[in-house]
Amino acid sequence: MADNDVWQLINNDDLFKQFLNENFDVKEHANKVIQGMAISQQLGKLAEGISLLDKEIHSQIVDHHEDLLSQATSVETLEGVLQMMQTRTQSLLSAMDSGPIGVEVIETDRRFIKQARKDIEMQAQKMLEQGMETQNQTQVATSLQVFHNLGVLATVVERVVESCYKNLHRSIRSCMDVTALTQQQSLGTSKALSREPKYYSNILGNVTKMLTQEFRDASESSSFLKQAFEGEYPKLLRLYSDLWRRLQQFSLTVNVTASSGASDLLSLEDTTKEEDIFIPSDKTNHAYDSEKALRDTLGDFENAYLSRSLSRLFDPINLVYTSNTCDPPTSEEVETIIKTISSELHVASVDTKLSVTIAKNVSKTIQLLCVKSEQLLCTDSEASQVIGPPTQGQLRNAATVNVLFQFHQAILKLVTGLNSTPDEAKECVMASLEQVVQLMGTAITLLLSSINDALEAIILTMHQEDFSSPAPTGNQADAPCSLFMKELQGFVSRCQTDYLSHFLCQDFIMDNIQPVARRCVELFVRHASLIRPLGEGGKLRLAADFAQMEMAISPFCRRVADLGRDYRILRAFRYLTGQSVDTPSGSIIIQMRWIRLKLIKGALEAYAKVVRQKQGKEYAAVYPIMLDLLQKGLQ
């Protein structure tokens, strides 16, 4: 029977249409029924109407459940009629209770009404179960509305949720059954979870507590499961990530507006709001993080895995850096350390948070490597000598630098190639590599400092040579370079051969030795400009020294031109030293020397003035010597 026919039948019936009247009075109608002694007839008619509606609802659900969504208007109409009939029928029965209670015909009809209610509840329960099984939101909503109209919604929801908990509990225990681990298992959550924001956090909170306890119980009762969960934690985490992505597919943004029905059914706030129940809110006052709650169920296994991971990273380092040896690790041993780091980073790439945490462990590993390497470094006079062949301490320092360089380059290449690793994890590892570079610089500091001091000492010996000789005659050969320059050339060459050649990181060495080369050129130019007396022959020899200086310092730089400003000054002074005093260039040299002497004189006079003002009794020991040299220079 079509729904319009049912409506027409009710509307045309003299008894039924009274219930549809907006001015229907229950007490007045009950009095008429009692006075007319037509109670049995009236109840029979009501039972007939209820049966008619029951059959129509059942017919609509069973025969047309796929079209319920398109016929929502008709369903709402039927539900309204049912609610109105049910309410007024119960009101009528309440009014009748004050009358002929105990009359047999009324008791029979009351039992009939109770049976009708029971049948409606059973049909609504079947509809709810079918809707939950097929994820049919229309069926679920319709059945819940029926339960709401019957006043048993809260009880039904609690019963359904409790059933879901039990089913989920059985599924979890089945997945953690050791005897069933040979079969493919998957952890599933009940599809019947409420998607309303009010119930979601409570339900998921209980589920996560259940998971946490079951995981803990399973690992405590089976060492096999415990080892599997802890050792294969990244795989377990990947399963959970897949589960979370599946849950997000059900993401539902609900607009909740307070109304009489919605307030009774959901007990939500009396305001309108929008909330995505599967996507964490960006609000600072958000009380529940669903993803974190689900992930925290694996907290014990994550902590155990991270501890094991750190041990795996530390073990190869502690194995090669023992207290019984002073030698740095071999290239093969360094490769083992690098492979361990690579394995940990690749395995952790399944999850962003895990990658960042493992990257911090890698950072600790790099720090441990630096500490162990620093303990091998020689830091006494044996590491700084540049007089004889390289010592064992210097060779060990060079080998340590080579190990650090190999490690640095390999880790740098590894991190660059990690495409699936988050930037935060990469930056963490890259920042820790700076410690490696700093330690490499520390390892060569003493050697470079000694080379710098030796170069300065050699340059100072130019003042012990005689540059006052006259110009050579026509039969004499070109002036050779000075003795100090020959010594300088030999020392630089020996430093490159004996000390610097042991380092494999030549670019790093060049970057660090270049400041030494620049200072050497600067000192040479400065002291060459102070040579006195200077004859024509001395100028030619000094010019030859300038030319040889470029070749002497070349082992300490990729190109001499890379020295920049110091190289340009060297070239300019080389040109000026060949000029006669009568030339403009020669005049410039004289003026520059005179300015320098004047500056020295002013500094000494200022010093003497300060001593007198303080009423000092004596000058510094070097003051008379400098004053004597100044007077000779001014003559």
Side-chain angles (χ1 to χ4, degrees):
M1 183 180 293
D3 54 350
N4 291 332
D5 294 338
V6 175
W7 175 259
Q8 191 68 26
L9 180 60
I10 294 174
N11 196 39
N12 293 334
D13 190 276
D14 292 336
L15 175 62
F16 293 156
K17 69 180 182 180
Q18 296 180 37
F19 293 93
L20 302 179
N21 192 348
E22 294 293 335
N23 298 324
F24 178 78
D25 186 271
V26 177
K27 294 182 178 180
E28 181 181 352
H29 183 74
N31 292 332
K32 290 181 180 179
V33 172
I34 294 173
Q35 293 174 4
M37 300 302 290
I39 297 176
S40 177
Q41 182 181 356
Q42 290 281 341
L43 292 177
K45 193 69 174 177
L46 290 176
E48 178 185 349
I50 293 174
S51 177
L52 181 63
L53 292 175
D54 180 33
K55 290 179 180 180
E56 180 60 24
I57 292 175
H58 184 271
S59 176
Q60 289 292 334
I61 293 175
V62 174
D63 298 335
H64 305 286
H65 65 276
E66 295 294 336
D67 302 325
L68 284 176
L69 184 61
S70 62
Q71 298 187 22
T73 304
S74 299
V75 173
E76 292 178 0
T77 303
L78 289 174
E79 289 175 355
V81 173
L82 175 61
Q83 182 179 2
M84 185 183 302
M85 294 290 292
Q86 183 71 18
T87 302
R88 295 185 177 181
T89 299
Q90 291 192 8
S91 298
L92 178 59
L93 290 175
S94 299
M96 287 180 171
D97 285 340
S98 61
I101 298 177
V103 179
E104 182 178 356
V105 63
I106 295 179
E107 292 297 330
T108 303
D109 290 338
R110 289 181 65 183
R111 287 195 296 270
F112 174 78
I113 293 175
K114 289 182 179 179
Q115 183 62 37
R117 176 189 176 95
K118 183 177 181 181
D119 293 340
I120 292 175
E121 289 182 353
M122 291 178 60
Q123 294 177 20
Q125 182 67 30
K126 291 180 180 179
M127 181 184 294
L128 176 61
E129 293 175 354
Q130 183 180 4
M132 293 171 61
E133 182 65 27
T134 61
Q135 290 291 292
N136 189 317
Q137 294 294 323
T138 303
Q139 289 182 322
V140 172
T142 301
S143 58
L144 290 178
Q145 185 64 51
V146 172
F147 286 124
H148 172 66
N149 294 339
L150 296 178
V152 293
L153 177 62
T155 303
V156 172
V157 171
E158 290 177 1
R159 184 172 66 246
V160 172
V161 172
E162 183 64 26
S163 175
C164 292
Y165 286 154
K166 292 180 179 179
N167 293 335
L168 179 61
H169 202 174
R170 285 195 298 269
S171 299
I172 294 173
R173 288 195 170 182
S174 175
C175 291
M176 297 183 184
D177 186 1
V178 179
T179 60
L181 287 178
T182 55
Q183 301 177 357
Q184 183 177 2
Q185 299 288 338
S186 63
L187 179 62
T189 58
S190 173
K191 295 181 179 180
L193 289 179
S194 171
R195 298 176 65 188
E196 299 296 346
K198 174 178 176 58
Y199 301 108
Y200 173 71
S201 60
N202 292 334
I203 292 176
L204 188 58
N206 291 333
V207 171
T208 53
K209 290 179 181 178
M210 182 192 306
L211 284 171
T212 302
Q213 186 61 44
E214 287 300 322
F215 271 125
R216 184 176 292 115
D217 293 344
S219 60
E220 290 177 354
S221 61
S222 172
S223 58
F224 173 77
L225 283 178
K226 181 178 182 180
Q227 182 177 0
F229 289 152
E230 294 177 355
E232 301 295 334
Y233 171 74
K235 295 181 180 179
L236 183 63
L237 184 59
R238 182 170 55 190
L239 292 176
Y240 262 65
S241 299
D242 294 340
L243 171 61
W244 177 250
R245 283 192 291 269
R246 291 199 301 271
L247 288 175
Q248 284 186 312
Q249 292 177 2
F250 294 97
S251 178
L252 173 65
T253 301
V254 290
N255 292 316
V256 183
T257 306
S259 63
S260 59
S263 297
D264 294 338
L265 185 60
L266 302 178
S267 300
L268 297 177
E269 295 180 359
D270 196 18
T271 55
T272 299
K273 62 180 179 180
E274 185 175 286
E275 181 180 3
D276 194 322
I277 59 179
F278 284 106
I279 300 178
S281 173
D282 294 333
K283 298 178 181 179
T284 57
N285 60 348
H286 197 274
Y288 192 79
D289 188 339
S290 307
E291 183 178 10
K292 182 179 182 300
L294 190 62
R295 186 189 182 97
D296 286 346
T297 60
L298 305 178
D300 294 341
F301 306 130
E302 181 176 19
N303 294 334
Y305 177 79
L306 293 176
S307 178
R308 289 187 178 186
S309 173
L310 190 61
S311 297
R312 286 193 295 269
L313 290 168
F314 281 7
D315 286 346
I317 296 179
N318 292 326
L319 185 63
V320 298
Y321 288 94
T322 63
S323 58
N324 299 328
T325 179
C326 295
D327 297 326
T330 63
S331 179
E332 291 75 14
E333 291 171 334
V334 175
E335 283 294 331
T336 301
I337 299 174
I338 295 169
K339 288 179 180 178
T340 304
I341 294 176
S342 175
S343 175
E344 294 297 320
L345 288 174
H346 278 97
V347 171
S349 62
V350 299
D351 180 77
T352 299
K353 294 181 180 178
L354 182 62
S355 294
V356 174
T357 307
I358 292 298
K360 293 179 180 178
N361 280 356
V362 171
S363 179
K364 295 177 182 177
T365 304
I366 295 175
Q367 183 178 2
L368 176 63
L369 178 71
C370 291
V371 171
K372 295 289 187 180
S373 299
E374 187 175 12
Q375 293 173 355
L376 297 180
L377 295 178
C378 177
T379 57
D380 53 18
S381 58
E382 183 182 356
S384 60
Q385 72 84 29
V386 288
I387 299 175
T391 63
Q392 288 298 320
Q394 289 174 324
L395 293 177
R396 186 167 68 250
N397 285 358
T400 301
V401 171
N402 292 336
V403 166
L404 294 173
F405 175 71
Q406 177 189 357
F407 178 81
H408 179 275
Q409 294 300 106
I411 297 299
L412 184 63
K413 181 179 179 181
L414 170 64
V415 173
T416 305
L418 293 175
N419 298 324
S420 58
T421 301
D423 292 339
E424 183 180 355
K426 293 181 181 180
E427 292 171 359
C428 180
V429 178
M430 294 295 288
S432 62
L433 286 179
E434 293 296 326
Q435 301 178 39
V436 178
V437 178
Q438 293 175 4
L439 183 58
M440 291 171 62
T442 301
I444 63 175
T445 298
L446 289 177
L447 177 62
L448 297 185
S449 179
S450 295
I451 292 176
N452 186 71
D453 293 341
L455 290 173
E456 183 174 0
I458 294 174
I459 291 174
L460 288 177
T461 60
M462 72 168 61
H463 297 289
Q464 300 174 6
E465 299 191 30
D466 184 12
F467 286 88
S468 62
S469 60
T473 60
N475 296 330
Q476 292 179 338
D478 295 338
C481 63
S482 304
L483 294 177
F484 83 90
M485 182 54 64
K486 293 179 180 180
E487 183 180 2
L488 183 67
Q489 290 176 333
F491 176 75
V492 171
S493 178
R494 186 167 61 84
C495 286
Q496 175 62 34
T497 304
D498 292 350
Y499 308 118
L500 302 183
S501 63
H502 296 284
F503 294 95
L504 300 179
C505 46
Q506 285 301 307
D507 287 338
F508 175 78
I509 294 298
M510 286 298 172
D511 291 340
N512 283 270
I513 199 71
Q514 195 172 87
V516 176
R518 285 200 295 267
R519 176 166 173 76
C520 180
V521 172
E522 179 188 358
L523 286 174
F524 170 72
V525 173
R526 181 189 306 170
H527 286 278
S529 64
L530 295 176
I531 292 178
R532 289 291 187 277
L534 182 63
E536 291 298 323
K539 287 198 297 182
L540 294 177
R541 183 150 56 92
L542 192 58
D545 292 338
F546 271 91
Q548 292 296 319
M549 186 62 183
E550 294 186 30
M551 293 184 292
I553 207 65
S554 60
F556 284 176
C557 49
R558 300 178 183 87
R559 299 182 308 164
V560 181
D562 292 341
L563 299 180
R565 174 177 176 274
D566 297 288
Y567 171 71
R568 293 191 296 271
I569 292 176
L570 178 67
R571 298 282 294 181
F573 266 82
R574 177 185 175 184
Y575 171 75
L576 292 176
T577 53
Q579 302 299 315
S580 171
V581 176
D582 298 332
T583 64
S585 300
S587 172
I588 292 175
I589 296 176
I590 295 175
Q591 292 178 9
M592 291 179 61
R593 292 173 177 172
W594 183 260
I595 292 174
R596 288 186 177 181
L597 292 174
K598 285 293 185 179
L599 291 174
I600 295 174
K601 180 181 178 182
L604 292 176
E605 291 176 350
Y607 168 73
K609 182 178 180 180
V610 171
V611 172
R612 289 193 299 269
Q613 289 176 349
K614 294 183 178 180
Q615 298 180 355
K617 297 181 178 180
E618 59 181 4
Y619 295 104
V622 72
Y623 175 76
I625 299 175
M626 295 183 65
L627 188 60
D628 182 60
L629 291 175
L630 176 65
Q631 292 175 352
K632 291 181 179 179
L634 292 175
Q635 293 177 353

